[in-house]
Amino acid sequence: MIQVRELTKVYGGSVAVDRLTFDVTPGVVTGFLGPNGSGKSTTLRLMVGLDRPSSGRATIGGRVLRDVDAPMREVGVLLDARAAPGGLRARQHLAWLARAGGVPARRVDEVLAEVGLADLAGRRVGGFSLGMLQRLGIAAALLGDPAVLILDEPVNGLDLDGVRWVRGLLRRCAAEGRTVVVSSHLLSEMDQTADEVLVLGRGRLLAHGSVTEITRAGAGTHIRVASPRACELAAALRAAGASVTQAPDAGGTLLVTGMTAPAIGDLAAGRGLALHELTERRATLEDTFIELTGDTVEYRADNHGADNHGADNRRADNRRADNRRADNRRADNHRAGSHRGTGHREVGRPGEQP
Ligand SMILES: Nc1ncnc2c1ncn2[C@@H]1O[C@H](COP(=O)(O)OP(=O)(O)OP(=O)(O)O)[C@@H](O)[C@H]1O
């Protein structure tokens, strides 16, 4: 079990993680979802003790990971696959990590086989593609056979086969009772992979729950109704208490909320109004994500209405953020080798962060 309480990280004057409070339970895949710069990586770094919180706390199994003697056997972490040292061969790199983490050497070949890199064990890491590096990073995270797995954007750079393999691996690990945390800015990925999702925006927790719960509580469901007598139907629906708007894509088609499809059908039949379409459309995670994070997106292309001055500032911010990330990576490598083997349910709404 991971417990995060009032976790806050301030860099200079800017708040990267803002009073986050949540639990992550074992046996399910928990996804961190948020736009670029929303604080996903910072939160994961704080959770595994690679950065110190400004206030609040994150514990894994009741302890702060920095205080654990053999962290690699408790928590497996992949934060940046590209940080693996290019001069080492894959097996050497893992063997070094295993030694540093007090893990039996036999685990090296076991995890290489598990991630599909057995044939590349003698190849230098510097020649690896991003997809191979991700597999190597996951192998490093699995080395200590940890009860907790924390993987930052593990599917970046993987082909479809690799993506499916990661999904299967995460599910298997969760089914074995492990605590599995995975971050992504890719909605489709979270939709398919995570049982529980935490949606972050500007460092704040915007929602926490299953994909179904979040979408139900968010953009919700609406009914598309088409009728040759749309105006009369709209008036009747409104009089019955429904909320009615015009569908943007087709004249004469209405979008109705606050009434079920059968109730709409009965009402239309009762007034002799023909219906040409009556379809229920459930909001997707993407609809809800956009609704939740719309005004928290930090970086946006110029054609989204930003003036040039704002866009220039954001580009400069982006460059600074890239430099900071490089600094973070260097600090991580210095502290812990390239992969530090260290290894509920509520739907929060915007503004409900304690
Ligand atoms: N070492 C640092 N110093 C200063 N600011 C930082 C540092 N690390 C992160 N930040 C800032 O904190 C905020 C959150 O960054 P973070 O990398 O955690 O977001 P993210 O959700 O992981 O983004 P992405 O999807 O782009 O990786 C950003 O505004 C970022 O610029």
Side-chain angles (χ1 to χ4, degrees):
M1 160 86 91
I2 300 175
Q3 287 192 317
V4 171
R5 295 291 177 270
E6 293 284 313
L7 192 67
T8 300
K9 182 70 188 179
V10 181
Y11 290 114
S14 94
V15 182
V17 170
D18 192 1
R19 291 168 294 142
L20 290 185
T21 292
F22 58 85
D23 290 342
V24 179
T25 45
V28 292
V29 178
T30 299
F32 270 46
L33 182 62
N36 293 135
S38 56
K40 303 182 294 295
S41 301
T42 304
T43 306
L44 298 184
R45 292 165 54 78
L46 294 170
M47 279 161 57
V48 301
L50 285 173
D51 220 336
R52 285 185 191 277
S54 305
S55 59
R57 140 194 186 98
T59 55
I60 299 183
R63 290 173 301 167
V64 174
L65 206 61
R66 275 174 183 271
D67 302 337
V68 173
D69 287 339
M72 203 170 191
R73 296 212 296 263
E74 313 236 351
V75 184
V77 182
L78 167 63
L79 289 183
D80 184 355
R82 281 165 300 199
L88 293 185
R89 300 174 196 281
R91 184 183 280 117
Q92 281 179 319
H93 167 56
L94 293 177
W96 183 86
L97 287 176
R99 223 173 12 257
V103 171
R106 63 170 168 75
R107 282 293 292 157
V108 170
D109 283 322
E110 285 173 12
V111 293
L112 280 167
E114 191 164 353
V115 303
L117 290 180
D119 293 343
L120 301 177
R123 283 257 296 266
R124 280 192 202 283
V125 171
F128 276 22
S129 69
L130 180 54
M132 292 172 186
L133 287 172
Q134 291 283 30
R135 286 177 186 260
L136 185 64
I138 292 170
L142 294 172
L143 260 180
D145 195 17
V148 178
L149 264 183
I150 296 179
L151 310 177
D152 197 6
E153 307 259 5
V155 302
N156 267 5
L158 289 178
D159 57 20
L160 185 58
D161 190 51
V163 170
R164 289 189 163 181
W165 169 75
V166 171
R167 282 184 203 145
L169 174 85
L170 297 178
R171 293 239 167 76
R172 226 171 34 248
C173 287
E176 289 165 1
R178 299 178 209 255
T179 303
V180 180
V181 177
V182 58
S183 84
S184 181
H185 59 277
L186 298 174
L187 275 149
S188 51
E189 199 38 51
M190 284 294 106
D191 213 353
Q192 300 206 40
T193 310
D195 305 301
E196 296 274 324
V197 179
L198 290 122
V199 183
L200 299 188
R202 287 200 193 276
R204 305 196 71 195
L205 184 61
L206 302 179
H208 182 189
S210 69
V211 170
T212 317
E213 286 167 338
I214 289 178
T215 49
R216 198 183 292 136
T221 300
H222 64 252
I223 321 279
R224 275 177 69 94
V225 191
S227 168
R229 291 163 63 189
C231 289
E232 277 172 76
L233 179 63
L237 288 167
R238 284 193 186 105
S243 156
V244 184
T245 55
Q246 181 100 17
D249 54 330
T253 301
L254 309 173
L255 301 180
V256 183
T257 54
M259 204 175 214
T260 65
I264 295 169
D266 290 347
L267 181 145
R271 286 170 173 68
L273 298 170
L275 293 186
H276 292 177
E277 181 185 346
L278 182 63
T279 30
E280 187 175 292
R281 189 177 173 281
R282 262 179 216 291
T284 61
L285 183 58
E286 182 168 325
D287 297 330
T288 313
F289 179 75
I290 288 167
E291 183 186 284
L292 284 171
T293 62
D295 59 357
T296 70
V297 173
E298 202 173 345
Y299 307 120
R300 207 185 280 272
D302 299 7
N303 62 2
H304 280 258
D307 62 43
N308 285 337
H309 180 64
D312 285 348
N313 284 343
R314 271 187 290 277
R315 273 193 289 274
D317 283 350
N318 264 326
R319 276 196 299 277
R320 280 194 290 275
D322 284 346
N323 290 339
R324 281 191 300 265
R325 285 196 188 96
D327 287 348
N328 284 343
R329 272 202 291 279
R330 280 193 287 277
D332 293 353
N333 293 344
H334 179 68
R335 261 199 299 268
S338 54
H339 304 286
R340 166 134 181 204
T342 41
H344 129 156
R345 195 165 289 243
E346 65 191 7
V347 178
R349 307 292 306 139
E352 277 188 7
Q353 174 80 8

